[in-house]
Amino acid sequence: MKILGIETSCDETAAAVVQDGRKMLSNVIVSQIDIHAVYGGVVPEVAARSHIEVINPVINQALSDANCTWDDIDAIAVTYAPGLIGSLLIGMLAARTLAVLHNKPIYPIHHVEAHVYANFLTSSPNTTYKLPPTQPSFPMLALIVSGGHSQLVLFQDHGNYELIGQTCDDAVGEAFDKVAKIIGLPYPGGPSIGKAALDGDPLAYKLPKAKLAGKYDFSFSGLKTATLRAVQREVGVDFTFPSTQLAERLDDRKRNDFAASFQRIAIETLVDQTEKAFNDFHPKSVVIAGGVAANAELRRILSDRIPLHIDYAPMNLCTDNAAMIASLGFYFSQKNEPADPFELEVEPSISMTKTAWGSPL
Ligand code: KG4
Ligand code: ZN
């Protein structure tokens, strides 16, 4: 079964064709990073307008890269939640129109749930992707870490999962992005902190690790504020000094040291909770998903601490893409009826709290 996936929840316009949930026949991503970098973050109206410009060419490219015509496509899977409303609407309207026009079943896919399915892609004619040879087995513990989410989810099977921990405040990717801004590293902050940290001393600054009531929960807002205070102290100003003027007073060595010190605590926080959950639930596999899962140091520390071989998805499938949407679309279609293409709506702020499958969408 060949599924066309469409993803436009934030600032990537993406389409892909995946066969049977595991074989990635094409994966097209047009990123708007350059457009938003000048503003230091995603501007929703600009994002929506950029999606409109490229959505049709991106879909056509995904079909032609996969050597497919519409006759070869069995279904469409499209992100319906969560994300920026204007961005979600473009992908959704394109998908609904194409479903009607070509008479294809359409399946609504939850973006955060789909991040996990980057780990289910195991083959591709495009050899530049280093895909793992096998799919993860259940029960599977997933650490989902993106710009909007930080959560631990225990999957018993496809569509049968339980949220066991989540962030009480900021998402970890958000903390990476905010700290990068404070110390003067370019947007998006995650990759630039990862890069700067390679040349920094992770023990240069002592930053606190949050203690939390929920056993598997996370918190990153205290770490972000502690980093801000430490930078203010380092440059010799008090807490009223504007964060936007700190970066110019840091030299490269201090900037790298802050990146490494922040990254160390952020990663330890994630790994501590994952290790606790691993010891309590004894999953057969552990996967990481979402943009922050592209962080090489997170992968290194997690593999050090979890006594199980972890097959990581390639870094470029951790950030937003449509192959993960098409992969989940396959498993979703095995257990759910297609949606009505005339009725399907977007849900900008539905989070992944309990098993979404089987409940009315
Ligand atoms: O999953 P994603 O592409 O979009 C959302 O659904 O949010 O995640 C984007 C987030 C951003 O906060 C970005 O800074 C972070 O993932 N990120 C990273 C890395 N690459 C992207 N964080 C740490 N290390 C990285 N290498
Ligand atoms: Zn995402």
Side-chain angles (χ1 to χ4, degrees):
M1 181 171 184
K2 286 181 186 158
I3 296 196
L4 170 73
I6 298 176
E7 151 67 36
T8 61
S9 67
C10 190
D11 60 341
E12 258 94 31
T13 317
V17 178
V18 173
Q19 188 170 355
D20 299 333
R22 60 171 75 222
K23 187 169 182 188
M24 185 169 70
L25 299 178
S26 66
N27 185 39
V28 180
I29 305 171
V30 172
S31 171
Q32 303 173 7
I33 282 183
D34 295 348
I35 301 173
H36 299 288
V38 284
Y39 306 104
V42 177
V43 184
E45 286 78 8
V46 176
R49 226 166 294 164
S50 307
H51 286 308
I52 295 181
E53 285 171 15
V54 297
I55 184 77
N56 284 330
V58 164
I59 291 171
N60 289 337
Q61 188 71 46
L63 292 172
S64 83
D65 285 0
N67 289 321
C68 285
T69 65
W70 275 102
D71 287 343
D72 304 312
I73 298 296
D74 298 295
I76 297 173
V78 59
T79 306
Y80 81 102
L84 300 169
I85 184 162
S87 292
L88 284 168
L89 276 170
I90 309 304
M92 177 57 83
L93 286 174
R96 284 173 50 179
T97 308
L98 291 167
V100 173
L101 192 65
H102 297 287
N103 196 21
K104 304 289 175 189
I106 182 169
Y107 296 94
I109 296 300
H110 192 287
H111 174 91
V112 183
E113 213 177 297
H115 266 299
V116 174
Y117 282 76
N119 293 285
F120 284 80
L121 296 162
T122 53
S123 77
S124 169
N126 182 344
T127 49
T128 58
Y129 290 97
K130 299 274 168 291
L131 298 172
T134 52
Q135 294 188 318
S137 16
F138 296 106
M140 167 181 82
L141 178 65
L143 172 67
I144 307 175
V145 277
S146 72
H149 293 79
S150 306
Q151 48 199 42
L152 272 167
V153 183
L154 188 65
F155 282 76
Q156 298 300 343
D157 197 353
H158 298 293
N160 175 4
Y161 60 77
E162 190 191 345
L163 178 74
I164 57 173
Q166 63 185 322
T167 182
C168 308
D169 38 58
D170 292 353
V172 61
E174 203 179 337
F176 268 88
D177 293 338
K178 286 180 180 164
V179 166
K181 233 178 187 172
I182 295 169
I183 62 177
L185 290 170
Y187 170 85
S192 30
I193 287 195
K195 194 153 161 267
L198 291 173
D199 299 318
D201 173 6
L203 300 173
Y205 299 100
K206 212 172 160 4
L207 299 168
K209 211 189 279 181
K211 300 259 181 311
L212 292 160
K215 197 168 178 195
Y216 313 108
D217 284 343
F218 308 104
S219 163
F220 295 100
S221 125
L223 172 60
K224 178 196 64 196
T225 309
T227 310
L228 171 63
R229 298 283 174 261
V231 177
Q232 288 168 326
R233 253 194 321 276
E234 185 62 53
V235 304
V237 296
D238 75 3
F239 69 95
T240 58
F241 190 85
S243 63
T244 48
Q245 292 167 32
L246 288 166
E248 62 210 49
R249 300 183 176 213
L250 285 177
D251 60 29
D252 277 351
R253 187 178 59 80
K254 287 178 182 161
R255 185 169 290 120
N256 296 341
D257 284 350
F258 273 116
S261 301
F262 161 80
Q263 178 176 266
R264 181 174 79 89
I265 301 296
I267 287 173
E268 274 184 21
T269 308
L270 294 171
V271 176
D272 284 354
Q273 304 304 68
T274 310
E275 189 182 29
K276 250 189 261 174
F278 177 82
N279 290 335
D280 291 350
F281 295 104
H282 313 291
K284 283 216 179 96
S285 67
V286 174
V287 298
I288 58 175
V292 184
N295 187 284
E297 192 61 7
L298 171 60
R299 293 168 174 225
R300 192 180 68 79
I301 308 272
L302 194 68
S303 286
D304 260 10
R305 301 252 304 264
I306 302 284
L308 194 74
H309 174 75
I310 304 178
D311 266 329
Y312 295 101
M315 306 256 186
N316 47 5
L317 289 180
C318 289
T319 44
D320 292 349
N321 64 81
M324 67 187 196
I325 304 295
S327 171
L328 173 53
F330 171 74
Y331 298 101
F332 188 90
S333 74
Q334 306 298 296
K335 295 189 180 180
N336 295 274
E337 290 301 316
D340 179 345
F342 291 99
E343 298 280 329
L344 194 53
E345 302 261 14
V346 300
E347 298 264 5
S349 48
I350 224 179
S351 63
M352 183 183 166
T353 49
K354 57 178 169 36
T355 301
W357 301 13
S359 50
L361 288 161

